[in-house]
Amino acid sequence: MSLNTPADSPALFNLLPDGPDFSMEQTAKWKALWPVAGCDEAGRGPLAGPVVAAAVILDPDRIPEGLNDSKKLSARKREKLFELIMADAIVSVASSGPALIDRINILAASLDAMRRAVCSLPVAPALVLTDGRDRPPGIACKADPVIKGDGRSLSIAAASIVAKVTRDRMMTLAATFYPAYGFDAHAGYGTARHLRALSEAGPCPLHRRSFRPVRELQYGEKDSKHATTEP
């Protein structure tokens, strides 16, 4: 038996939003939790460079079209949206460098950058929506973690774009100081080109020495004394 769906009766999955929306923020506003900031980070996985966090409070009347998880956007689209976000939203950015990452681990360093980004907003949010499972410690207001939040909340998506573009620009600049590694091409991720350069030139001050490929280069694969948790 076949099932025919009339043109004016779309299937349920066709009614679901495709990409992030503003529903979480609107619900918070109805609960008198306003303004709402989205917060996300970029750069947990690379072998070099900082982890960068952004906090964004969008103007509901001036939300740029096309906001989405930064990983789903082309570099050109991210750059365009970055400029629109910076022009019309309230934005704060913070970062944790390699030394802090090595000292307290990448998760703690990421959450600390998120905390500083939120606390540096010129307008204090009543609610922070964060991407992932963790609440950054030390935030005075209510904070709700949102699994895969950069694909569900427009505020988190905006923060993901700001964090990604900011970090990419930082790594492009880093390439002018440390040209041997090609940071402008891979932003510090463990590509074959990066690993080859790391093996040939050794680590530079931007490398995270607690991350396995860098650690093994310094101490050898079997040196458990310097073992740390993988990112």
Side-chain angles (χ1 to χ4, degrees), residues 1-127:
M1 176 178 175
S2 62
L3 177 64
N4 294 320
T5 302
D8 60 349
S9 302
L12 175 61
F13 62 82
N14 289 332
L15 298 177
L16 298 177
D18 182 18
D21 59 33
F22 210 58
S23 60
M24 294 184 195
E25 293 86 342
Q26 292 288 9
T27 298
K29 189 173 185 179
W30 295 333
K31 295 179 179 179
L33 292 172
W34 195 259
V36 175
C39 190
D40 199 4
E41 52 75 26
R44 282 198 190 188
L47 305 179
V51 58
V52 176
V56 176
I57 299 175
L58 291 172
D59 180 344
D61 298 320
R62 300 180 68 86
I63 298 177
E65 292 186 10
L67 292 180
N68 206 339
D69 174 0
S70 63
K71 297 183 292 296
K72 297 181 179 179
L73 301 171
S74 66
R76 182 176 180 181
K77 183 66 172 178
R78 283 196 301 266
E79 288 281 350
K80 181 178 180 180
L81 287 168
F82 174 88
E83 298 300 336
L84 294 173
I85 295 165
M86 298 301 291
D88 294 327
I90 299 171
V91 179
S92 176
V93 177
S95 65
S96 293
L100 182 62
I101 292 170
D102 289 338
R103 180 159 57 87
I104 65 175
N105 77 52
I106 183 60
L107 175 58
S110 299
L111 293 176
D112 189 64
M114 293 170 76
R115 175 191 63 80
R116 286 182 279 116
V118 170
C119 292
S120 296
L121 284 166
V123 176
L127 171 67

Side-chain angles (χ1 to χ4, degrees), residues 114-210:
M114 293 170 76
R115 175 191 63 80
R116 286 182 279 116
V118 170
C119 292
S120 296
L121 284 166
V123 176
L127 171 67
V128 177
L129 301 174
T130 63
D131 183 47
R133 299 178 180 273
D134 301 298
R135 294 177 177 84
I139 294 178
C141 68
K142 179 179 172 60
D144 289 342
V146 182
I147 304 299
K148 297 184 179 179
D150 45 11
R152 298 171 59 190
S153 159
L154 286 172
S155 297
I156 299 177
S160 78
I161 292 167
V162 172
K164 170 66 174 170
V165 171
T166 300
R167 188 179 188 280
D168 284 352
R169 291 180 178 183
M170 293 170 74
M171 296 308 292
T172 296
L173 180 60
T176 65
F177 291 92
Y178 302 103
Y181 304 96
F183 289 140
D184 53 330
H186 51 67
Y189 283 88
T191 64
R193 173 184 176 183
H194 187 188
L195 292 175
R196 184 168 58 252
L198 185 60
S199 177
E200 294 172 353
C204 76
L206 293 182
H207 281 97
R208 303 172 181 179
R209 283 160 168 75
S210 58

